[in-house]
Amino acid sequence: QQQVKQSPQSLIVQKGGISIINCAYENTAFDYFPWYQQFPGKGPALLIAIRPDVSEKKEGRFTISFNKSAKQFSLHIMDSQPGDSATYFCAANAQTGANNLFFGTGTRLTVIP
Amino acid sequence: EAQVTQNPRYLITVTGKKLTVTCSQNMNHEYMSWYRQDPGLGLRQIYYSMNVEVTDKGDVPEGYKVSRKEKRNFPLILESPSPNQTSLYFCASSLGRGGFEQYFGPGTRLTVT
């Protein structure tokens, strides 16, 4: 059973456009929601993370939007660049208790020049 | 340089031949874990370790063993590999279990024929 559902599986965006990746979860104990970025041949690396006490977090061109009532969160990449082409994973866990980090299935983003 | 290293990076083996994938981190992290990455399934946790001599099963532990005799090392052992263990494996470490950035190694691509 997938703890975190991620969509779309793949995404093609023109340079300068907005890329949007969505994730949903069911476990209300989750209180930490990171996004990881993975380039081909590399391990995933933390891109940005949010905790549920805020509805949005922005770091440069990357923004997480968080909707606690809907149990959904999304990654927005503004002014997408070819260098953003990578696989993106959302994840979730609880900071206390027995939960480990659960990952979504990944979104392969391709930004066309 | 803070990093997680894995060896080997690529491995082709035959069914039933025991193998070990090594993982080492130089950040004095207490928490380490192993993931496998498969197309369409994302990253799934195999085993994790909270500290030396403390290990526990993740979501997909069948067919794998681990040990944590030293804080920096967390090897993954396949006693009798099977073709369904063909996958891309990642080791990761972090300061703690929940709410902390996980640092991933570069990955080990394993093929079992």
Side-chain angles (χ1 to χ4, degrees), chain A residues 36 38 43-44 51 93 98 100, chain B residues 31 37 45 48 97-99 102:
Chain A
Y36 281 77
Q38 183 183 29
R51 302 185 195 278
N93 81 342
N100 290 305
Chain B
Y31 184 84
Q37 182 177 357
Q45 192 177 55
Y48 64 94
R97 187 178 191 175
Q102 293 212 19

Side-chain angles (χ1 to χ4, degrees), chain A residues 36 43-45 101 103, chain B residues 4 6 35 43 90-93 102-107:
Chain A
Y36 281 77
L101 190 63
F103 284 87
Chain B
V4 177
Q6 294 178 229
Y35 295 88
L43 289 148
F90 289 100
C91 179
S93 74
Q102 293 212 19
Y103 294 82
F104 284 82

Side-chain angles (χ1 to χ4, degrees), chain A residues 2-3 9 32 36 38 41-46 51 87 89 93-106, chain B residues 9 31 35 37-38 40-45 48 57-59 88 90 97-107:
Chain A
Q2 196 72 31
Q3 295 268 359
Q9 189 172 346
Y32 174 67
Y36 281 77
Q38 183 183 29
K42 304 288 187 183
L46 181 66
R51 302 185 195 278
T87 298
F89 293 96
N93 81 342
Q95 295 183 68
T96 57
N99 282 321
N100 290 305
L101 190 63
F102 295 98
F103 284 87
T105 51
Chain B
R9 294 289 313 278
Y31 184 84
Y35 295 88
Q37 182 177 357
D38 301 289
L41 296 177
L43 289 148
R44 295 179 293 167
Q45 192 177 55
Y48 64 94
K57 297 177 181 178
D59 297 320
L88 180 58
F90 289 100
R97 187 178 191 175
F100 293 96
E101 176 177 1
Q102 293 212 19
Y103 294 82
F104 284 82

